[in-house]
Amino acid sequence: MIIGMSSTRNWYQYLLTNIFAILSNNEVEKMYLFIEDDYIEELDLFKKKFKTEFVCKNLNNIFDNYISKDCRNISKRYSKCTLTRLFFPKEIKEDKVLYIDVDAITVADISGLWNMDMGDCYVAGTPDSGMARDGVVYLKFIDSNIPYINAGVLLMNLKLIREDKIDDKWLHMINTERLMYNDQDAINSVCKGRIHIFPAEYNSSASTELLENRDDIKIMHYTMLKTNWVRDHKYSELWYEYEEKFNKFKEEIKNNE
């Protein structure tokens, strides 16, 4: 399994908890981290238990290679990190990658998602129910027959994307148009008709489908305003469970040194 994630410095604590949860439940060959530094020292803790290879890419060093300085799709809500998945095909040389937002927690085996047959689709995701809530549909990118996916958990067919230069189309769009939902709009628009759907168990959220049975959830995605974003959530205990486990893991490593 190849995982891709991105994070600013002020979110590293969440990133590390997220990584611990993923590795606790899955065998991950390699993890690409697009961050604001060349490395995060805490990653050395994971190397003492897990066999995952970490590849850190300094976001500040590579961002301007793909995103123009006058790009209108960067804001307080949509930071540099939000746009990184648009240049995954150029920075990650494997055939496919699973992108997971830093505000999601992986609480189960997700190999079923990784091994999913995507056919000739460029990306796979879960429909974003918020786009059609109350009968309002974002018609520029979707209609009643074509779902608009949430890009918080995204399986990407990198090989096919590169072959058909889909990533170039994404980058052209994000650099030349003002989009409402930024990279998510670019992905849905360009890949329209070549998007595979996977169930909400791999991206359960208020934006997709918040599953009633917590045991059905494999990835919990906290798509809320980021003030008390975990504490006030129905499934806050899922995050705190792994935060506590990660803290105990760090303490055990420290005591064994």
Side-chain angles (χ1 to χ4, degrees), residues 30-235:
K30 189 181 294 186
M31 186 171 286
Y32 286 88
L33 303 177
F34 292 76
I35 54 178
E36 291 189 305
D37 297 281
D38 295 327
Y39 192 69
I40 304 174
E41 289 185 4
E42 287 87 346
L43 294 175
D44 290 335
L45 296 172
F46 299 124
K47 294 179 181 180
K48 298 179 184 298
K49 180 176 181 179
F50 305 106
K51 297 180 179 180
T52 302
E53 176 186 354
F54 294 99
V55 179
C56 295
K57 291 180 175 282
N58 192 313
L59 186 57
N60 295 323
N61 293 342
I62 64 176
F63 190 80
D64 291 343
N65 294 337
Y66 305 106
I67 308 298
S68 64
K69 294 185 183 302
D70 58 352
C71 176
R72 294 173 290 168
N73 294 294
I74 302 175
S75 63
K76 184 176 181 180
R77 180 179 181 184
Y78 297 105
S79 67
K80 287 183 176 182
C81 286
T82 308
L83 303 182
T84 57
R85 68 204 113 181
L86 297 182
F87 45 85
F88 272 16
K90 298 186 182 301
E91 291 290 328
I92 299 175
K93 300 309 178 184
E94 278 81 6
D95 288 347
K96 67 177 180 178
V97 68
L98 176 60
Y99 171 84
I100 302 176
D101 263 353
V102 72
D103 62 347
I105 196 78
T106 301
V107 299
D109 179 358
I110 56 172
S111 58
L113 173 57
W114 175 253
N115 294 318
M116 185 175 294
D117 183 4
M118 295 176 66
D120 65 349
C121 291
Y122 298 117
V123 296
T126 301
D128 194 317
S129 58
M131 301 306 299
R133 192 172 292 129
D134 299 323
V136 178
V137 179
Y138 196 22
L139 291 175
K140 183 175 182 180
F141 302 113
I142 57 174
D143 56 35
S144 60
N145 298 314
I146 301 177
Y148 178 105
I149 60 169
N150 178 280
V153 181
L154 194 69
L155 187 61
M156 306 173 73
N157 188 338
L158 299 179
K159 183 175 184 292
L160 188 59
I161 289 170
R162 286 191 290 264
E163 288 175 354
D164 293 350
K165 301 187 184 306
I166 296 301
D167 50 341
D168 291 336
K169 295 177 182 179
W170 288 344
L171 293 170
H172 176 75
M173 190 173 194
I174 205 72
N175 282 314
T176 59
E177 296 187 38
R178 177 66 182 96
L179 303 174
M180 184 177 296
Y181 295 102
N182 302 35
D183 64 310
Q184 188 167 274
D185 284 351
I187 291 168
N188 277 277
S189 177
V190 173
C191 298
K192 190 173 182 178
R194 302 280 290 276
I195 297 174
H196 186 75
I197 300 301
F198 57 73
E201 65 190 81
Y202 295 114
N203 187 0
S204 180
S205 74
S207 297
T208 54
E209 179 186 354
L210 192 58
L211 300 181
E212 289 298 321
N213 185 351
R214 62 162 281 176
D215 292 336
D216 292 335
I217 298 173
K218 291 182 169 60
I219 300 179
M220 180 63 230
H221 185 193
Y222 298 90
T223 55
M224 300 173 64
L225 293 176
K226 299 311 178 191
T227 302
N228 300 326
W229 60 281
V230 175
R231 188 185 68 193
D232 296 338
H233 198 280
K234 176 181 179 180
Y235 291 122

